[in-house]
């Protein structure tokens, strides 16, 4: 892969780059990784639209050589020193590909469209936006930023910031992790999902119910480590490959009954891995379970194929087709919002990936 990055040089001594990158929600979950952010199993995600990070990078060539990075970071215009170690770790991992990182002063300004305290992780969208900003420093003409080669490199870099970040460059569906049922799949970067998708998945909806706004009880770094000696790891990793294969035919046929079954099984398996690791974690809250039960009741009564998925936290993502948006949203307002912290929820849908901001 280092070949892809050969001869990457910056094209100016100072400048500004700015990108918006989306969040994503995994249908088949990435949980477990090896050295250099190589995933232990393949994953597949919906790219979101409204939930995104916007990052602006100001860079200026330094007058003197230094052996450390020079980074100022602002979130919502407030300086945030505590984010800098994570960015430095990211720079350490990508310096082999972008060898100029110690030669510049960087000022990074980031905002998220979703509230800071919503419990929605911003690392995927934030790292993806930063990777795009840094990579743009190397292009000779702006047209290059529209190329598949540029997106692939950006995904490769974003992966080194946050694994799921490599799925936050393109849309509407992205697959990451080498797996036999997708011929050009790679552990190194996400690819736009390459096979046919049934029209029922167009504009698929994701309503995120904010059950718990606090930060997660287990960071994803610790969570992935828990898979290292996990008694069920081998079976889980094998299952993820099978689930990708099944999902390919579901996405093609539009079989929503099978879709609901697989997506919910993936979400519960992710939590089952945390429930059965050593140490173990219960990340669902009573209201998470109450919502899951209500969703299953509603689906049984109405036949509307609304389903839930979960990240490594208590919040619930509800997925449903665009044609069922009105009935599903009525149900959410009437029966589910009461279980959300401060009645908070975020309506989102499939999105097309990152955008360069002028
Ligand atoms: C549960 O991408 O946050 O959301 O690579 O350590 O940054 P790092 O982990 P991260 O893990 C995401 C895990 C997940 C499932 C998923 O998005 O596939």
């Amino acid at each position: 892969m280092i070949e892809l990055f050969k001869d990457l040089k910056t094209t100016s001594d100072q400048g500004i780059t700015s990108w918006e990158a989306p969040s994503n929600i995994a249908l088949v979950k990435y949980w477990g990784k090896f050295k250099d952010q190589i995933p232990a199993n393949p994953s597949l995600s919906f790219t979101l639209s409204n939930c995104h990070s916007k990052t602006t990078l100001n860079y200026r060539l330094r007058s003197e050589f230094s052996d450390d990075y020079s980074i100022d970071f602002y979130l919502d215009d407030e300086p945030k020193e505590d984010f800098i170690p994570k960015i430095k770790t990211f720079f350490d991992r990508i310096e082999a590909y972008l060898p100029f990182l110690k030669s510049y002063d960087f000022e990074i300004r980031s905002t998220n469209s979703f509230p800071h305290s919503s419990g929605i992780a911003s690392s995927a969208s934030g790292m993806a936006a930063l990777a795009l900003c840094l990579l743009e420093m190397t292009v000779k003409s702006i047209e290059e930023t529209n190329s598949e080669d540029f997106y692939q490199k950006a995904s490769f870099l974003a992966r080194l910031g946050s694994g799921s970040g490599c799925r936050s460059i393109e849309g509407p569906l992205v697959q990451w992790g080498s797996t036999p049922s997708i011929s050009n799949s790679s552990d190194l970067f996400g690819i736009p999902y390459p096979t046919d998708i049934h029209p029922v998945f167009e504009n698929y909806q994701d309503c995120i119910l904010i059950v718990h706004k606090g930060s997660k009880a287990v960071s994803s770094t610790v969570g992935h480590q828990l898979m290292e000696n996990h008694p069920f790891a081998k079976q889980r990793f094998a299952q993820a490959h099978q689930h990708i294969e099944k999902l390919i035919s579901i996405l093609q046929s539009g079989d929503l009954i099978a879709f609901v079954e697989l997506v919910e099984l993936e979400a519960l398996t992710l939590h089952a891995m945390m429930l059965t690791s050593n140490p173990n974690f219960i990340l669902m809250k009573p209201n998470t379970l109450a919502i899951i039960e209500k969703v299953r009741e509603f689906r049984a009564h109405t036949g509307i194929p609304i389903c839930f998925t979960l990240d490594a936290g208590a919040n619930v993502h509800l997925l449903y087709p665009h044609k069922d948006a009105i009935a599903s949203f009525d149900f959410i307002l009437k029966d589910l919002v009461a279980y959300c912290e401060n009645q908070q929820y975020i309506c989102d849908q499939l999105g097309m990936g990152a955008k360069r901001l002028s």
Side-chain angles (χ1 to χ4, degrees), residues 40-92:
N41 66 259
S43 57
L44 203 158
S45 53
F46 277 165
T47 303
L48 298 183
S49 174
N50 302 331
C51 290
H52 55 244
S53 300
K54 284 184 185 175
T55 297
T56 298
L57 178 76
N58 250 292
Y59 57 94
R60 180 189 288 270
L61 199 64
R62 295 166 89 170
S63 45
E64 278 168 30
F65 173 79
S66 162
D67 201 25
D68 196 10
Y69 308 108
S70 159
I71 303 168
D72 285 327
F73 180 80
Y74 298 81
L75 183 67
D76 298 328
D77 289 326
E78 296 282 331
K80 290 272 177 202
E81 297 269 333
D82 46 331
F83 279 63
I84 291 182
K86 195 161 185 201
I87 299 173
K88 286 194 173 176
T89 304
F90 176 44
F91 277 25
D92 276 338

Side-chain angles (χ1 to χ4, degrees), residues 26-293:
L27 305 175
V28 175
K29 310 288 181 183
Y30 147 58
W31 199 240
K33 64 178 166 182
F34 306 122
K35 196 172 169 284
D36 298 331
Q37 299 280 99
I38 297 300
N41 66 259
S43 57
L44 203 158
S45 53
F46 277 165
T47 303
L48 298 183
S49 174
N50 302 331
C51 290
H52 55 244
S53 300
K54 284 184 185 175
T55 297
T56 298
L57 178 76
N58 250 292
Y59 57 94
R60 180 189 288 270
L61 199 64
R62 295 166 89 170
S63 45
E64 278 168 30
F65 173 79
S66 162
D67 201 25
D68 196 10
Y69 308 108
S70 159
I71 303 168
D72 285 327
F73 180 80
Y74 298 81
L75 183 67
D76 298 328
D77 289 326
E78 296 282 331
K80 290 272 177 202
E81 297 269 333
D82 46 331
F83 279 63
I84 291 182
K86 195 161 185 201
I87 299 173
K88 286 194 173 176
T89 304
F90 176 44
F91 277 25
D92 276 338
R93 291 185 189 151
I94 61 176
E95 205 196 359
Y97 310 100
L98 305 181
F100 51 81
L101 292 176
K102 286 191 181 125
S103 310
Y104 283 84
D105 288 318
F106 291 106
E107 184 197 87
I108 304 165
R109 289 183 176 266
S110 207
T111 57
N112 298 319
S113 64
F114 41 92
H116 185 46
S117 60
S118 60
I120 299 182
S122 58
S123 57
S125 52
M127 288 296 176
L130 181 54
L132 287 155
C133 287
L134 291 167
L135 192 60
E136 190 186 316
M137 289 174 67
T138 68
V139 300
K140 292 186 191 73
S141 82
I142 281 309
E143 284 69 53
E144 277 179 51
T145 63
N146 283 323
S147 68
E148 202 44 51
D149 177 66
F150 182 83
Y151 291 135
Q152 195 169 92
K153 281 187 201 147
S155 175
F156 178 97
L157 295 175
R159 181 193 102 245
L160 293 166
S162 172
S164 57
C166 80
R167 302 189 313 240
S168 274
I169 303 288
E170 294 189 85
L173 273 80
V174 176
Q175 194 276 327
W176 170 43
S178 175
T179 191
S181 52
I182 298 188
S183 57
N184 50 346
S185 55
S186 170
D187 285 341
L188 302 180
F189 46 81
I191 55 168
Y193 179 69
T195 310
D196 293 344
I197 303 172
H198 191 277
V200 77
F201 292 107
E202 267 165 33
N203 294 332
Y204 222 74
Q205 307 287 299
D206 178 7
C207 182
I208 309 165
L209 303 181
I210 312 297
V211 172
H212 181 64
K213 304 210 285 188
S215 57
K216 297 188 211 165
V218 54
S219 72
S220 53
T221 312
V222 171
H224 290 291
Q225 273 168 12
L226 294 174
M227 290 304 282
E228 278 169 25
N229 292 309
H230 197 293
F232 307 138
K234 201 168 153 223
Q235 297 91 321
R236 161 59 195 153
F237 300 148
Q239 181 199 44
H241 287 275
Q242 291 154 12
H243 281 178
I244 296 270
E245 194 176 347
K246 270 195 183 171
L247 198 50
I248 293 171
S249 65
I250 293 171
L251 290 171
Q252 204 156 18
S253 67
D255 178 351
L256 291 181
I257 294 176
F259 180 77
V260 163
E261 203 176 289
L262 187 140
V263 167
E264 293 191 350
L265 175 59
E266 270 293 317
L268 295 177
T269 302
L270 170 71
H271 282 255
M273 290 300 110
M274 284 179 268
L275 289 166
T276 53
S277 59
N278 186 9
N280 54 61
F281 294 91
I282 305 175
L283 299 187
M284 288 187 266
K285 300 279 179 200
N287 282 355
T288 312
L289 290 173
I291 290 169
I292 290 176
E293 281 183 3

Side-chain angles (χ1 to χ4, degrees), residues 25 48 204-208 317-320 346-349:
I25 178 69
L48 298 183
Y204 222 74
Q205 307 287 299
D206 178 7
C207 182
I208 309 165
H317 288 246
L318 291 180
L319 306 179
Y320 43 92
I346 298 173
C347 289
D348 211 335
Q349 59 180 358

